Amino acid sequence: VEHLFVANTHSYLLFFTDKGIVHWLKAYQVSEAGRYARGSAIVNLIKFEEGEKVTSMVVVDEFKENMYLIMATKKGIVKKTSLAEYSKPRQGGIIGINLREGDRLIDVKMTDGSKEIILATKDGRAVRFNEKDVAAVGRNSIGVKGINARESDLIGMEIADSPYLLTVTEKGYGKRSDVSEYRLITRG
């Protein structure tokens, strides 16, 4: 299990793929199962293109104007878009973010437009910046540089709404540190 979230039956589940496409599903369309049941694969519920993988999911009750989706790509690009721009679902999905060649979507988070964002790269570097440094743009745009990824890839994005940040490596080492230890800088 990677993600666990709570939704009511009329919530929208937004599935973001590594190719920047957004697919919708109402929560009641996911079949109910018992505690020990396996469940259904997402590919049986939504039609994806070949080679497309879900990288992030967001639960939405209402598509409000004052809420935003912030996205991060492998090459360190971040994009902020109003949640209301994703309110009209289409059968095959819609473009959530335009990606440059060789780039892919890593993570998507829902915010109120006033949070602090932490981006981390594979080689252990991280930046913390204010979300207000990223201007809200349209759904069909690329975004701006959030971190200089150099030869390393972006591996994670978190919203700094807790006093602590837990970092875990691929070999299982972990550490908890104060978010305040990551100095607040401008994006890029």
Side-chain angles (χ1 to χ4, degrees):
V1 176
E2 270 188 54
H3 301 283
L4 187 66
F5 50 87
V6 177
N8 68 45
T9 55
H10 295 290
S11 295
Y12 282 95
L13 306 176
L14 300 182
F15 296 94
F16 292 84
T17 68
D18 58 349
K19 294 183 178 180
I21 306 296
V22 184
H23 298 275
W24 284 263
L25 194 64
K26 285 285 228 172
Y28 66 79
Q29 293 174 299
V30 177
S31 59
E32 190 172 333
R35 178 176 166 189
Y36 296 106
R38 277 186 97 158
S40 306
I42 294 174
V43 295
N44 295 332
L45 302 172
I46 298 173
K47 295 184 188 223
F48 295 111
E49 290 180 20
E50 191 174 321
E52 218 174 358
K53 295 178 189 163
V54 174
T55 58
S56 194
M57 295 175 282
V58 177
V59 177
V60 177
D61 291 325
E62 286 182 63
F63 291 92
K64 297 178 182 175
E65 258 327 296
N66 60 344
M67 295 300 285
Y68 297 93
L69 291 176
I70 189 149
M71 304 174 195
T73 72
K74 176 178 141 181
K75 299 293 183 188
I77 302 296
V78 292
K79 175 186 165 187
K80 181 169 80 171
T81 306
S82 173
L83 183 60
E85 295 207 24
Y86 298 89
S87 64
K88 294 183 174 75
R90 291 194 194 130
Q91 187 68 26
I94 62 170
I95 295 172
I97 183 172
N98 273 337
L99 298 170
R100 292 187 175 117
E101 191 174 326
D103 207 357
R104 63 185 178 89
L105 187 63
I106 296 294
D107 204 357
V108 179
K109 304 281 186 193
M110 188 163 53
T111 69
D112 61 6
S114 63
K115 303 287 186 194
E116 291 177 356
I117 308 296
I118 296 178
L119 299 175
T121 62
K122 194 171 188 174
D123 62 1
R125 294 179 302 115
V127 296
R128 179 174 71 125
F129 61 91
N130 198 316
E131 183 184 351
K132 292 179 182 176
D133 292 345
V134 181
V137 293
R139 189 176 49 77
N140 200 11
S141 62
I142 293 176
V144 295
K145 185 186 289 190
I147 188 170
N148 189 357
R150 296 186 215 155
E151 289 92 42
S152 182
D153 295 335
L154 182 74
I155 57 164
M157 173 179 69
E158 280 301 321
I159 296 175
D161 55 358
S162 168
Y164 299 105
L165 179 68
L166 176 64
T167 308
V168 181
T169 69
E170 68 181 340
K171 296 199 179 196
Y173 294 99
K175 73 173 186 174
R176 183 181 72 164
S177 53
D178 286 334
V179 169
S180 60
E181 289 183 30
Y182 296 87
R183 92 185 148 100
L184 187 63
I185 61 172
T186 57
R187 63 166 183 80

